[in-house]
Amino acid sequence: MRALIQRVSQAEVTVDGERIGQCGAGLLILVCAMQGDTEAEAARLVAKITKLRIFKDAAGKMNHSLLDVGGSALVVSQFTLAADTSRGNRPGFSSAAAPAEGEALYLHVASLLRGQGIATETGRFGADMAVALVNDGPVTIWLDTQSSNA
């Protein structure tokens, strides 16, 4: 699985002008399930996300995790994280999981976050969404369970 996480002071997602999800201080998590991903990859991704020490301590150093600071999360499906740009100028997305699998894993990520006690809201899988955020830092981190960084 792939995720792009952004430390935010707030974020929201709207569909057709209606806000369907939001979070306060915490993380905006853009998630993409790849072909062959399972719930095990989702669990590994969530374990990494919740424990990443990317929030400031009293001295201003990034020493606290999302769990440490009691932050919230907004999880948004983002199949374009599977983009293959190695040939030409039009990205390919064939390495993304099939829609039914992708949606199930995306929802599983949100469920696992909630299971950790993190207030978590989501976007709408497959919808044309508008995401607004106030990036805090900015801090933006790429995670991929198929590499050594997740």
Side-chain angles (χ1 to χ4, degrees):
M1 291 193 76
R2 293 181 177 172
L4 184 73
I5 63 171
Q6 296 179 291
R7 189 178 74 188
V8 298
S9 55
Q10 64 184 35
E12 70 177 27
V13 60
T14 59
V15 174
D16 296 327
E18 175 189 352
R19 184 173 58 212
I20 61 167
Q22 64 184 345
C23 74
L27 296 175
L28 169 63
I29 306 168
L30 305 175
V31 175
C32 178
M34 306 296 287
Q35 286 185 10
D37 282 343
T38 66
E39 289 185 355
E41 280 84 16
R44 200 163 88 232
L45 187 68
V46 168
K48 185 68 154 187
I49 289 169
T50 58
K51 295 174 187 166
L52 269 177
R53 294 172 28 191
I54 59 172
F55 292 88
K56 294 178 184 176
D57 64 14
K61 304 278 186 196
M62 290 198 304
N63 277 327
H64 292 302
S65 70
L66 184 63
L67 290 170
D68 294 334
V69 299
S72 57
L74 176 59
V75 182
V76 176
S77 62
Q78 184 77 42
F79 83 94
T80 59
L81 292 178
D84 176 358
T85 59
S86 64
R87 293 179 302 217
N89 294 318
R90 178 175 290 183
F93 304 103
S94 60
S95 61
E101 295 167 11
E103 182 175 18
L105 287 170
Y106 153 71
L107 293 173
H108 189 61
V109 165
S111 175
L112 290 170
L113 287 164
R114 288 183 192 108
Q116 294 281 324
I118 296 167
T120 303
E121 295 191 14
T122 63
R124 184 175 301 147
F125 187 87
D128 186 8
M129 296 175 279
V131 180
L133 68 140
V134 178
N135 200 323
D136 180 19
V139 174
T140 302
I141 297 175
W142 169 257
L143 299 172
D144 187 339
T145 59
Q146 293 182 4
S147 72
S148 61
N149 75 347

